[in-house]
Amino acid sequence: MSATDSVDDLVQDSGLEAAPGEGPSGLVGMEEAAEAEAEAPADERATFLTEARTADREHGGSAVEEHAESSAAADEEENEAGELHELDTIREDTTMEKAEEAADVAAENADEAEADEAVDGEAAAAATEAPPPAESSKSRPSSRRSSKPPPGSAGRVRRERTIESLLDNDELWDTDLEDELPEEGHAADLHDTTGRSLYRTTCERLGAVPVKYFLKHLTDTRLIMRHHGLGPVGTRAIARPLAINLTITELDLTGNWMEPEGGRAIAKMLEENSYITHLWLADNKLCDEGAAQICRVLQTNSASVTHLSLAGNEIGDQAADSLFDLLANNRTLVSLNLSRNCLGGEAAARLGAGLGINDYLEELDLSGNRISGPGAVELAQGIRESFRLKKCNLAWNGFAEEGGRALADMLKANQALQELNIEGNRLNGNAAVAIGNAVAGNEILLELRMGNNFLYTAELLQVVKLIVASETTPLTFLSFKDIPVDYEFVKTVEQQMRRTTRDFQCEHGPVLRAGNTRDELAKPAIDIRSPIVLLREHILINDFRFVERLAAMDAQGNGTVSLEQFAAVMDEMKIPYYRSQLSDLVAKLDKLGDGSIYYADFMPPERPRRESAMIRSRGAMT
């Protein structure tokens, strides 16, 4: 038999076919033959290799042997690379290493019979002919540990299943490693619910300097970070840990120059955090864009914020629609501060429309804006329709007479408002009197502030008389702060207060030496808090009957009276004073130290004084 015939017979036995158009030594489907050879039983592979080497030595046909050896080496390297990759993946942590060891033992035991047969077949082949070429220097890890070959494909499947079952075993995860984790670092990040580790990581990524105060107080219920200079980047850094924080309910970030970028970060944080109820974002230059983002996120039902301050953020009429949507859709907000912004007539009109349909807001601060004209009227109409709003601050706008009359109409119909501040709104006498009439018929309002308006004494007195004479209004505090008044006003207010049984207080500005008219406003005022100055100015402005009444009670004629006599004369002359001021009078007018009041200093300058003679006479008597 020729060498060619021997090779053809071997090819047929092993499942190989000659390529059409080529000689008997040409092979096709080399890769298919290699796979078939690898899947053949170990004894058949050994017989095939032995016969192939014999034919090659006799007839020089080395192609088959080279192909067989290269196929075996490739198979070994492929198995080695796959197994090394698998082992590297398994060794990523301690649990996987335990799974690998357990799986190796189980798989090797299961494949022991198959491995023994393979070893016997290769040993028989090696005994009959020369040893094969040396294997690659890269050997399998399992070959170094044992003389047994690695498990076959069936063993690998069982090994993978064993690994999966071991990973599902909870006992492998029950270790003491958690107790040994450091307080800081990557391992601590896994279970850090406070957000400290996340804050450090975020600062590093954004290039921001971590704020130690923020880290220290992350677990508090109230976090106050006013004027920390966070800026847009710093705000983004604190927003991420705040999104997962579970303890802070009151957050004050006033004066941190966030700008619209920081406003977007806070809005995104509020989408995740449902624990913050009080949020102060005043003086952060959020502008219309940043305010719109905050309003947008607070429209959802998941919002938890009940008190919100956006004061001093340069918010203008461009945010009018966002403010309307906030009032129309929010169900949690009870206090809203929009003071010291740039809201004009358009925003006021939209706010009025929102107030008319809002059933939850109880406090609204719009002081220090630019509300005037028709916008002021529409805002007043919205407050009129609100049955929940209890406290409203409209100070330092431009309501003027038109807006003032709209406020008067509001007070006639509103049955919820308890406190109203309309200071500094350019109200004139007509608007003030209209408001006084409305308050006289209102059954809810408790506090009214009308200071810093263009009002005179006669108009103020008319308002006071209307309110005091009313049996309907429960008003307890009326303020004309910084509006100068005269003694006539003070005396009248005291008389009116004696006629009412309720606890009513009236605040006013400085007391002038004369009346409160255009010509007299330029005169210097006096300090009504000083009882001596008050008494002296009253005597100068009115007459000297007070001194004459004191002299009539001075039986000894030495210029002194008792405290009781002094108080009785003040009541008789209707001089306004407070009982607490009498002790100051005694301390300053008791020159002899016996509790009596020396009144001679109040006598007119043209009358001859006998101060030294009376003191000497009093000393002789004692």
Side-chain angles (χ1 to χ4, degrees), residues 34 58 104 122-123 161 211 259 267 315 324 332 360 372 376 392 409 447 504 527 529 549 551 555 591 615 618:
E58 293 177 356
D104 285 339
E122 290 186 3
R161 292 176 180 175
V211 180
E259 299 182 355
I315 304 172
F324 170 79
T332 60
Y360 302 92
S372 61
C392 185
D409 295 337
E447 180 178 311
F504 177 75
D527 187 3
R529 294 171 297 180
R549 290 295 300 146
K591 294 188 176 182
I615 293 178
R618 184 67 177 269

Side-chain angles (χ1 to χ4, degrees), residues 249-488:
T249 59
E250 299 183 14
L251 178 62
D252 190 347
L253 299 176
T254 299
N256 278 285
W257 210 274
M258 295 179 181
E259 299 182 355
E261 181 181 353
R264 289 192 296 268
I266 294 296
K268 188 174 181 180
M269 177 271 293
L270 292 174
E271 293 178 353
E272 304 294 334
N273 188 303
S274 59
Y275 295 92
I276 296 177
T277 59
H278 293 65
L279 181 61
W280 290 273
L281 299 175
D283 302 317
N284 277 297
K285 299 185 74 66
L286 295 177
C287 302
D288 295 329
E289 180 183 353
Q293 294 294 329
I294 300 295
C295 293
R296 175 190 58 79
V297 72
L298 293 182
Q299 296 177 31
T300 62
N301 294 330
S302 60
S304 60
V305 177
T306 59
H307 294 70
L308 174 65
S309 175
L310 295 175
N313 277 291
E314 302 179 6
I315 304 172
D317 286 346
Q318 293 184 2
D321 291 336
S322 298
L323 295 173
F324 170 79
D325 293 337
L326 173 65
L327 294 178
N329 300 314
N330 184 273
R331 298 294 183 270
T332 60
L333 204 62
V334 297
S335 177
L336 177 61
N337 188 344
L338 295 172
S339 63
R340 297 183 290 108
N341 281 294
C342 305
L343 301 175
E346 181 180 353
R350 297 295 286 163
L351 284 170
L355 288 172
I357 59 178
N358 184 282
D359 298 335
Y360 302 92
L361 194 67
E362 297 181 0
E363 298 181 6
L364 176 63
D365 191 346
L366 293 173
S367 61
N369 282 281
R370 304 171 182 176
I371 302 174
S372 61
V377 175
E378 295 188 38
L379 177 60
Q381 293 175 352
I383 299 174
R384 175 180 179 174
E385 298 174 2
S386 174
F387 65 89
R388 181 70 66 176
L389 192 66
K390 298 179 180 179
K391 185 177 181 180
C392 185
N393 189 349
L394 302 175
W396 300 107
N397 282 283
F399 276 63
E401 182 176 353
E402 181 183 8
R405 291 186 179 276
L407 290 174
D409 295 337
M410 177 271 294
L411 290 172
K412 292 179 181 179
N414 184 275
Q415 296 297 319
L417 197 64
Q418 297 179 2
E419 298 182 18
L420 176 62
N421 188 341
I422 50 176
E423 295 178 348
N425 269 284
R426 296 185 292 165
L427 300 176
N428 59 16
N430 296 331
V433 174
I435 292 174
N437 274 315
V439 173
N442 188 288
E443 300 179 354
I444 304 297
L445 193 67
L446 300 176
E447 180 178 311
L448 176 62
R449 296 178 179 271
M450 299 176 62
N452 288 285
N453 284 293
F454 302 147
L455 305 175
Y456 300 115
T457 300
E459 299 157 349
L460 298 181
L461 283 174
Q462 191 172 355
V463 173
V464 172
K465 290 178 180 179
L466 287 170
I467 294 175
V468 174
S470 173
E471 298 180 357
T472 303
T473 178
L475 193 75
T476 59
F477 184 77
L478 176 63
S479 174
F480 296 124
K481 181 181 178 182
D482 294 335
I483 299 179
V485 297
D486 59 8
Y487 273 112
E488 184 66 23

Side-chain angles (χ1 to χ4, degrees), residues 3 7 52 55-65:
V7 173
D56 181 61
R57 285 194 299 270
E58 293 177 356
H59 303 284
S62 60
V64 175
E65 181 180 3

Side-chain angles (χ1 to χ4, degrees), residues 220-242:
D220 295 350
T221 58
R222 186 177 186 184
L223 177 61
I224 302 177
M225 289 188 64
R226 299 175 182 171
H227 308 289
H228 275 254
L230 295 176
V233 177
T235 304
R236 290 173 55 193
I238 69 171
R240 291 195 63 191
L242 286 175

Side-chain angles (χ1 to χ4, degrees), residues 17 148 221 266 308 349 408 509 535 546 563 580:
E17 297 181 358
K148 299 178 181 180
T221 58
I266 294 296
L308 174 65
L535 184 60
F546 177 75
L563 178 61
S580 60

